[in-house]
Amino acid sequence: MKKNFTCINCPLGCSVDVTLNDKGEILDITGNTCPLGEKYVRNEIKDPRRMVTSTVRLIGSEHYSVPVKTRDAIPKNKIFECMKEINQIQVTAPVKVGDVVKENIAGTDIDLVATANRLN
């Protein structure tokens, strides 16, 4: 079986082809122009992960919300669970960049952090 991926590690966006056997094991990777493309595809096949960015409701501020992101990429299959939790969160001002808004979001051992200052 062949799959095609577009590498997202740099602006080149290489089209990387992967050949898999019947067990889903990688037999061949072609099309990448650097080692990062191969690494990206191997991770996509074995354990796809994504950063999640969103906003949470902010109380006690002139701003309605504060932007947030996961500190690291989370397993792709946890994104909807993560968003469900994010949609329930309310924080109280002041909030600073890097403040932990929610520990261990969606049971991933990865924290959700603020990405902007909301001091009032």
Side-chain angles (χ1 to χ4, degrees):
M1 171 182 16
K2 283 196 172 198
K3 288 189 174 188
N4 180 269
F5 294 86
T6 301
C7 181
I8 60 171
N9 279 305
C10 78
L12 288 178
C14 294
S15 179
V16 184
D17 292 312
V18 181
T19 305
L20 304 168
N21 66 16
D22 293 339
K23 296 178 183 176
E25 297 166 336
I26 297 171
L27 299 175
D28 189 35
I29 298 175
T30 59
N32 54 302
T33 58
C34 75
L36 290 177
E38 181 177 343
K39 181 180 177 186
Y40 169 74
V41 168
R42 287 187 184 280
N43 287 338
E44 276 299 291
I45 297 288
K46 294 178 185 173
D47 184 25
R49 291 178 168 262
R50 299 290 184 271
M51 296 292 288
V52 174
T53 61
S54 189
T55 59
V56 298
R57 177 80 170 101
L58 186 62
I59 309 293
S61 172
E62 62 189 40
H63 302 279
Y64 176 79
S65 62
V66 62
V68 294
K69 72 175 187 86
T70 52
R71 192 180 301 275
D72 200 359
I74 66 168
K76 190 175 174 183
N77 65 355
K78 291 280 194 168
I79 290 175
F80 289 109
E81 185 179 341
C82 178
M83 285 307 302
K84 188 174 181 179
E85 287 186 24
I86 287 172
N87 290 334
Q88 300 301 313
I89 296 172
Q90 294 184 8
V91 294
T92 303
V95 177
K96 295 180 286 187
V97 171
D99 283 355
V100 175
V101 173
K102 172 90 165 87
E103 293 179 346
N104 189 26
I105 192 80
T108 61
D109 289 327
I110 296 171
D111 295 337
L112 186 71
V113 296
T115 61
N117 292 322
R118 296 290 190 255
L119 303 178
N120 60 9

